[in-house]
Amino acid sequence: MIFDSLNLYILFLVFIVGTCLGSFYNVVILRTLSGESIVFPPSKCPKCGNKLKPWHNIPIISYLFLKGKCAFCKEKISIQYPIVELLTGLLFSFAYIKFGFNYVTLFVLFCISCLIIMTVTDLK
Ligand SMILES: [Zn+2]
């Protein structure tokens, strides 16, 4: 793959999409284990129960900005969140670098997603 500015721009977008999906996979992992619905209720702090604001939900950045603590009660946020977000973003980026932008990549991204969800669920 040639790293011209267009490809780097797409690579950056692929990484961002990966981190957002990684954020969603965290929800899938935790709520599947606890038997809750994936779509409802909206994200809240497990300790103080305050609903998270949209800017508390930005992958990786919010964790760093909040220094790994709940914005309301300062309870520690699990390191699992930024790790899964970063891992998904990086693996999506590698898949794009390796396979380019085509149907094979979509299949690979699907496999990566399933593997991340299954691996982290098993670890927990
Ligand atoms: Zn809290």
Side-chain angles (χ1 to χ4, degrees):
M1 193 176 113
I2 308 149
F3 284 98
D4 58 21
S5 55
L6 178 64
N7 275 333
L8 282 176
Y9 178 68
I10 296 172
L11 184 63
F12 180 70
L13 285 181
V14 168
F15 178 77
I16 296 298
V17 169
T19 58
C20 292
L21 281 171
S23 186
F24 174 65
Y25 298 161
N26 274 316
V27 174
V28 172
I29 292 160
L30 289 168
R31 293 200 179 176
T32 306
L33 286 173
S34 66
E36 288 172 86
S37 159
I38 289 165
V39 283
F40 193 83
S43 303
K44 59 177 170 44
C45 169
K47 191 184 177 213
C48 65
N50 275 306
K51 273 192 208 141
L52 301 187
K53 305 276 181 236
W55 56 89
H56 296 148
N57 262 332
I58 306 162
I60 305 168
I61 294 170
S62 288
Y63 186 88
L64 296 175
F65 188 72
L66 294 169
K67 299 187 184 75
K69 292 187 191 117
C70 169
F72 305 102
C73 68
K74 306 295 173 204
E75 171 80 351
K76 267 188 86 183
I77 301 168
S78 169
I79 189 79
Q80 179 206 321
Y81 288 96
I83 288 177
V84 170
E85 288 159 2
L86 186 66
L87 185 70
T88 312
L90 286 177
L91 288 176
F92 273 36
S93 304
F94 293 148
Y96 173 66
I97 292 169
K98 175 83 182 156
F99 300 107
F101 205 70
N102 58 51
Y103 290 110
V104 177
T105 314
L106 284 180
F107 177 71
V108 170
L109 296 184
F110 176 75
C111 293
I112 288 172
S113 302
C114 290
L115 285 170
I116 289 172
I117 294 171
M118 287 188 285
T119 305
V120 179
T121 303
D122 278 351
L123 283 174
K124 287 198 79 87

